[in-house]
Amino acid sequence: MSRCMLSPLRLYRTSSGLQHYLPNLARACLFSSDSSSSSSSSGGGSNGNGNNKSFVRNTTILVQQGCDIQELPVVVRKVAEDEFVALISNKIIDCQPAAAAQKDTELDEVVKALEACHTVQGVCLVTDGIGEEAFSPDVAVRALERILKLESLLELKNWEDKPCFEKIINCIVYRGRNETVLDVMDGLRNYLELAKTIDMLGNELVYRCSENKLSVEQCCEAIESLTQCRRFEMVEKFWSGIADQEKQITDKNIHLVFSILPYLKISRRAVLNILERRIPSVWWQMSTGCTIDVLQSLETCKMSPFRITQTLARWLNTNIHAVSEDQLEAVLESFTNLGFSDNQIERSIERYVKAKGIKVVSQSLIVSILKHCQTFRLRNPHILNGCSEFFIANHQNLDPGYLKAFLCPFGYLDFHPLNSNKFFETLDMYLDLNFTKIHPNDIIHIMFCYVCLERYPLPFVNRIFNPYFLDVLHARTRPERLDRVRSLLKVFDTSLTLECPDYDGPLLPRDHSAKAVFHDGRIKRIVNYIIPELEELAGGPNNMTNSPSSSTSPIFSLNTAKERNINVAVLIHLPEYYNASGEHLIGPQAMRIRHLRRLGLKVVTLKFDVLYKLKVHPAELRKYLVERLKQALEALPVAKGTAAAAAAAAEASTKEDGPQTEQ
């Protein structure tokens, strides 16, 4: 494909939509391309349109928007010697004659004659007997429908090049209204063998889009139909029609423009930029259904543009009083899947839970709210307390499959409801009644949440450490998840051993097999950077180790009954180890600190983001480390100090989060 600059290049616009894209001629560079697909539809000169459309060419254009430059397909028409018109121009003459009105009686007679035909030859005889003026697009559509109904797919391919069929298609293409062409195009989704016919209809829609004859809704409908007909290159050319009619994108049709994003590849970003500019002007008028459609379209594209999602979050905060339970559930699920949350969404949920609380009917809505809180670590007391009240009030009707989803967010966020005793009494009772109805994998996660919240479900221990239950657990758990489930079960056993005096454990055998432990690269790098400072503060390299799983680590030879508050465990916490506000550690991290303190260790916690910022300030870094060491958490009293318990807990609780220092 040769590259050339067409001069002079005309960019006359009938509206200002593309001014965002082409503010001056210096930003437009055209590339010549093969136009065979364009000229293929210029046959049918009986309607006087072939000569005009033979000058249409397919090209690509460089579009600059700020610092963003993109190459997009466009339609360019030659209107004079060395003079071309890109996209829309006031030089283009309307070449679509208005179809003459046809009397209903005449149309009815023709339709009856067509319906009486039992062969395609009969349809052709009827159409040939109709005069040129009487042969309207409506008649052509009825004739085409009759042919498609009478003939098989294999035979239709043979009829496509015959004069009778060409007459019908040419009438629809060159004289039919936009709605007519779109309806026929949509009806050919199941007739992909008619490639020539589909190409003619598709090219006609592209031409009409370039002439600004298609509305925003019709552009979207054309994109969908052409995608279903597998004309993906044609689809990419409709972005210009949408851009030219940017002001016509309203709260009534904006969801339709979003719905075509999954069908676009090359021009998706250009259309998305149009929507990003437009949605701030129409969001406050959008209906709930429209908003849900927009979010689900973004989900399909796996895109989460900040400006759009932030605007939709504002919409939710404004309209939270007017959405139904099912609608709120759909909106929250979309935001969760898009990986977006902000203060507006949190305030919306809080207001909703405060207003409705236990009056909510949908269990799945509460599950969606809790899932959103867990995913984005929203430790909001009003939301979580309201959800706990809902569980207490409606537990009798709760689906057992939802129990894990109700409890896990509380354990993960290390949140104890205000009505904690009542909450866990209800949970114990419900779990006892429905134990066999809950998936074994979910049971293990529920038990893990118990110990995260310092609750010890001793009545269920015998049910869990039961050969039959463990066999079912392994049989019903996917192989890739078995290691995770075994790890949670091990932590559950260790937690009860360390913290519950009435527990006769550990019940699981100690695992002596060699296993690879995941080490977060961020922590490894920052540990290597601060080790010299820690060694100096610990009194030398011999008093410190950054490998707690090593057999030479003092933690494994520690007498937990006598040697307490002697050794210090230094943990480095990543930003995701805290809730969204950065004030509270999540449940598993808080439990790890608790276990180390039960073992007799003092615990120092360091924030990764603070260490990272202080890397270039050695003096401030040393000052921060000294302050944190002075604020070390003291060891907790021994709940059950057997050597086996200490060894098992050490193995389960010490991870890669940081070095241990010995003082």
Side-chain angles (χ1 to χ4, degrees):
M1 180 174 67
S2 62
R3 178 173 177 173
C4 63
M5 186 71 181
L6 303 182
S7 177
L9 179 65
R10 303 288 183 176
L11 290 168
Y12 299 111
R13 307 298 299 163
T14 56
S15 62
S16 59
L18 283 176
Q19 290 177 357
H20 299 285
Y21 290 91
L22 303 173
N24 54 62
L25 296 183
R27 295 187 180 182
C29 181
L30 297 178
F31 303 90
S32 64
S33 61
D34 184 19
S35 60
S36 57
S37 61
S38 300
S39 59
S40 65
S41 64
S42 59
S46 60
N47 293 291
N49 299 288
N51 294 333
N52 289 331
K53 291 186 178 177
S54 64
F55 289 96
V56 174
R57 295 293 183 269
N58 298 317
T59 69
T60 57
I61 189 170
L62 288 179
V63 175
Q64 179 177 352
Q65 186 180 20
C67 297
D68 183 37
I69 299 177
Q70 189 177 5
E71 184 178 353
L72 297 172
V74 293
V75 173
V76 174
R77 179 168 297 186
K78 184 176 181 179
V79 294
E81 187 68 24
D82 296 329
E83 187 173 356
F84 292 81
V85 181
L87 308 173
I88 306 298
S89 170
N90 57 5
K91 287 202 170 191
I92 296 181
I93 301 173
D94 186 1
C95 57
Q96 294 294 331
Q102 190 171 23
K103 296 180 180 179
D104 292 339
T105 54
E106 295 179 358
L107 181 60
D108 291 341
E109 292 177 359
V110 173
V111 170
K112 289 180 180 179
L114 291 172
E115 290 295 330
C117 298
H118 298 290
T119 63
V120 177
Q121 290 86 347
V123 175
C124 290
L125 289 174
V126 173
T127 56
D128 289 341
I130 301 175
E132 189 69 27
E133 294 182 359
F135 191 68
S136 66
D138 291 336
V139 173
V141 170
R142 298 300 181 93
L144 178 61
E145 290 175 350
R146 189 61 182 164
I147 291 175
L148 295 178
K149 184 177 181 180
L150 291 173
E151 202 60 270
S152 64
L153 288 175
L154 293 177
E155 294 298 328
L156 281 173
K157 181 66 178 175
N158 298 328
W159 278 97
E160 194 174 21
D161 294 325
K162 295 186 178 181
C164 172
F165 196 88
E166 287 184 350
K167 177 182 178 181
I168 294 172
I169 299 303
N170 287 339
C171 180
I172 295 172
V173 168
Y174 299 122
R175 296 173 57 194
R177 299 185 302 274
N178 294 337
E179 296 81 1
T180 302
V181 178
L182 287 168
D183 288 343
V184 173
M185 189 78 214
D186 186 67
L188 293 178
R189 294 184 182 189
N190 299 323
Y191 298 91
L192 299 183
E193 292 79 3
L194 301 177
K196 179 181 176 181
T197 302
I198 293 175
D199 286 339
M200 287 184 65
L201 292 166
N203 283 326
E204 179 64 23
L205 291 172
V206 171
Y207 300 150
R208 295 191 186 189
C209 177
S210 71
E211 294 167 355
N212 202 21
K213 292 181 179 179
L214 297 183
S215 65
V216 172
E217 295 86 346
Q218 290 171 341
C219 286
C220 296
E221 186 179 347
I223 289 172
E224 182 181 0
S225 295
L226 286 169
T227 301
Q228 298 296 330
C229 292
R230 302 177 185 176
R231 296 306 188 268
F232 305 111
E233 292 184 2
M234 291 183 183
V235 164
E236 303 294 345
K237 299 170 186 175
F238 284 86
W239 70 272
S240 59
I242 296 174
D244 189 66
Q245 301 185 77
E246 180 178 330
K247 299 299 184 183
Q248 279 67 53
I249 298 177
T250 66
D251 60 294
K252 305 298 182 183
N253 60 23
I254 191 169
H255 65 289
L256 297 176
V257 184
F258 272 98
S259 69
I260 56 96
L261 289 177
Y263 304 137
L264 305 176
K265 291 184 179 179
I266 298 173
S267 58
R268 179 186 293 176
R269 194 172 66 197
V271 175
L272 188 63
N273 289 339
I274 297 169
L275 293 169
E276 284 185 322
R277 291 196 304 270
R278 190 60 184 155
I279 198 168
S281 302
V282 303
W283 69 267
W284 55 278
Q285 294 177 307
M286 288 168 56
S287 66
T288 305
C290 178
T291 302
I292 293 173
D293 290 342
V294 169
L295 287 168
Q296 291 177 347
S297 297
L298 293 177
E299 274 189 82
T300 304
C301 296
K302 297 181 180 179
M303 296 188 307
S304 183
F306 179 77
R307 188 174 181 181
I308 294 176
T309 48
Q310 186 185 44
T311 302
L312 296 178
R314 185 179 179 187
W315 177 94
L316 179 63
N317 192 30
T318 303
N319 296 277
I320 189 64
H321 63 283
V323 297
S324 67
E325 294 184 4
D326 291 341
Q327 291 169 339
L328 178 58
E329 180 182 346
V331 170
L332 286 180
E333 284 186 354
S334 293
F335 276 126
T336 304
N337 295 334
L338 290 171
F340 179 82
S341 187
D342 64 1
N343 292 333
Q344 295 187 103
I345 296 177
E346 183 177 357
R347 285 198 303 269
S348 303
I349 301 173
E350 179 181 328
R351 288 165 52 201
Y352 191 89
V353 172
K354 282 182 176 179
K356 293 223 172 180
I358 61 175
K359 297 178 182 178
V360 174
V361 176
S362 173
Q363 301 173 12
S364 57
L365 171 59
I366 301 298
V367 168
S368 296
I369 290 173
L370 288 171
K371 181 181 177 182
H372 190 85
C373 290
Q374 178 175 343
T375 302
F376 299 100
R377 309 190 304 280
L378 303 180
R379 197 176 184 272
N380 186 302
H382 301 288
I383 298 174
L384 296 175
N385 282 323
C387 292
S388 68
E389 291 286 353
F390 176 89
F391 173 73
I392 293 171
N394 299 277
H395 70 278
Q396 289 138 341
N397 301 320
L398 182 67
D399 184 340
Y402 282 150
L403 186 61
K404 173 189 169 185
F406 267 89
L407 181 61
C408 283
F410 291 91
Y412 182 78
L413 296 170
D414 193 29
F415 183 84
H416 297 258
L418 288 176
N419 51 0
S420 186
N421 290 333
K422 182 64 175 176
F423 179 79
F424 280 100
E425 286 175 6
T426 306
L427 178 61
D428 291 343
M429 179 179 63
Y430 183 87
L431 188 58
D432 182 55
L433 294 173
N434 297 277
F435 191 90
T436 58
K437 299 178 183 178
I438 302 173
H439 194 286
N441 199 334
D442 290 354
I443 292 288
I444 301 303
H445 282 83
I446 290 169
M447 294 299 109
F448 180 77
C449 290
Y450 264 103
V451 295
C452 279
L453 295 170
E454 297 185 75
R455 293 281 175 166
Y456 312 112
L458 293 178
F460 303 104
V461 168
N462 290 334
R463 293 192 187 185
I464 293 170
F465 294 108
N466 178 295
Y468 174 76
F469 176 84
L470 295 177
D471 287 344
V472 174
L473 173 65
H474 281 73
R476 298 183 62 185
T477 303
R478 286 187 287 181
E480 63 271 17
R481 294 186 177 180
L482 274 177
D483 286 342
R484 172 63 176 165
V485 171
R486 289 168 182 163
S487 176
L488 293 177
L489 195 58
K490 183 69 175 178
V491 173
F492 175 68
D493 183 41
T494 301
S495 298
L496 293 180
T497 301
L498 279 175
E499 300 184 283
C500 183
D502 298 324
Y503 182 65
D504 296 326
L507 299 180
L508 293 177
R510 204 171 160 191
D511 189 359
H512 295 279
S513 60
K515 292 184 178 179
V517 179
F518 171 74
H519 294 270
D520 192 287
R522 293 169 292 176
I523 292 179
K524 287 177 66 177
R525 288 189 291 271
I526 205 68
V527 165
N528 292 334
Y529 188 83
I530 66 174
I531 273 182
E533 293 289 347
L534 291 177
E535 288 178 345
E536 183 179 347
L537 293 173
N542 294 331
N543 294 331
M544 194 196 83
T545 176
N546 64 346
S547 179
S549 59
S550 171
S551 60
T552 60
S553 174
I555 195 171
F556 286 96
S557 59
L558 180 66
N559 187 334
T560 58
K562 297 179 181 179
E563 301 177 25
R564 306 185 67 77
N565 290 314
I566 295 177
N567 294 283
V568 179
V570 180
L571 303 181
I572 298 175
H573 289 134
L574 297 169
E576 58 263 33
Y577 290 174
Y578 292 87
N579 71 324
S581 65
E583 298 175 2
H584 300 277
L585 282 169
I586 59 176
Q589 298 300 322
M591 181 173 63
R592 175 175 295 155
I593 293 174
R594 199 168 65 244
H595 287 176
L596 292 174
R597 295 173 70 192
R598 291 286 185 192
L599 288 168
L601 297 171
K602 297 174 70 174
V603 178
V604 173
T605 59
L606 304 176
K607 288 189 174 183
F608 171 83
D609 50 354
V610 175
L611 294 173
Y612 189 80
K613 291 177 182 178
L614 296 180
K615 280 178 62 176
V616 294
H617 304 287
E620 294 295 326
L621 175 61
R622 181 180 177 84
K623 181 180 177 181
Y624 174 71
L625 294 175
V626 171
E627 288 178 354
R628 296 305 301 165
L629 285 169
K630 288 180 179 179
Q631 298 174 14
L633 300 172
E634 298 288 335
L636 293 172
V638 179
K640 189 174 184 181
T642 64
E651 182 182 357
S653 297
T654 55
K655 299 291 182 183
E656 77 282 356
D657 291 328
Q660 272 67 43
T661 65
E662 182 181 1
Q663 294 181 338

